[in-house]
Amino acid sequence: MTQYTIANRVEASIIAYEADALMDNMADDGLEDSNNYEDMETVRDRLGILADNEATFKGERAVEFPYNLELSSAEAWQFEVAKEQAMDCIGHDNYKIAVALNLPVKEAERIAIKILEIGLWSDANSVLGYLVTRD
């Protein structure tokens, strides 16, 4: 088993969304019956549950973050593919800002743009650098 720490619902939802998109691509290629498809589906479903805010409102026990997600080695491979795809699609910096600040990606993009508008050598840019380099 491989363990991944999921920071918050934003991170879970971003990766789940990309896993779903990758499953669509696999389906388009006729790979619905493959092990990779099934592993990606497991990743998507488990992350989707973490991202779901409804559990709190239904009286179910809410998921506490950071959350340690345990995956088989095959599922871990698919998780890494989905996470890398998410970073590539929305930009590594925007992904890290969204997760660090627990904000939707669009809001993270607006923050990054505003910080860059302030200026490259400003204190605000130092904060941006901190957000995108911390793990």
Side-chain angles (χ1 to χ4, degrees):
M1 296 298 267
T2 305
Q3 191 174 70
Y4 293 95
T5 300
I6 306 300
N8 49 41
R9 292 187 197 290
V10 168
E11 184 170 35
S13 67
I14 291 170
I15 300 170
Y17 178 82
E18 289 303 324
D20 194 53
L22 289 165
M23 288 174 56
D24 287 345
N25 290 343
M26 285 187 234
D28 290 345
D29 293 339
L31 301 173
E32 298 99 333
D33 295 327
S34 72
N35 290 338
N36 287 341
Y37 185 91
E38 289 177 16
D39 292 334
M40 187 68 80
E41 185 174 39
T42 300
V43 168
R44 183 211 51 202
D45 292 348
R46 295 200 50 210
L47 289 168
I49 290 168
L50 294 177
D52 185 12
N53 287 321
E54 294 297 315
T56 305
F57 300 113
K58 292 177 184 172
E60 298 171 16
R61 196 175 117 219
V63 174
E64 300 209 7
F65 290 95
Y67 182 86
N68 292 320
L69 179 66
E70 290 196 13
L71 300 170
S72 71
S73 57
E75 293 164 351
W77 173 258
Q78 296 304 322
F79 173 89
E80 290 175 14
V81 169
K83 184 173 180 177
E84 183 177 325
Q85 183 70 22
M87 286 187 185
D88 288 348
C89 286
I90 65 173
H92 188 266
D93 292 353
N94 293 341
Y95 175 91
K96 295 209 67 170
I97 292 168
V99 171
L101 298 178
N102 200 11
L103 294 171
V105 174
K106 291 293 182 192
E107 188 63 27
E109 288 175 294
R110 283 194 289 275
I111 288 171
I113 290 167
K114 286 292 182 194
I115 289 172
L116 292 173
E117 286 173 356
I118 291 169
L120 185 59
W121 304 110
S122 71
D123 289 338
N125 205 311
S126 296
V127 171
L128 177 61
Y130 171 75
L131 288 173
V132 301
T133 57
R134 74 180 194 157
D135 285 325

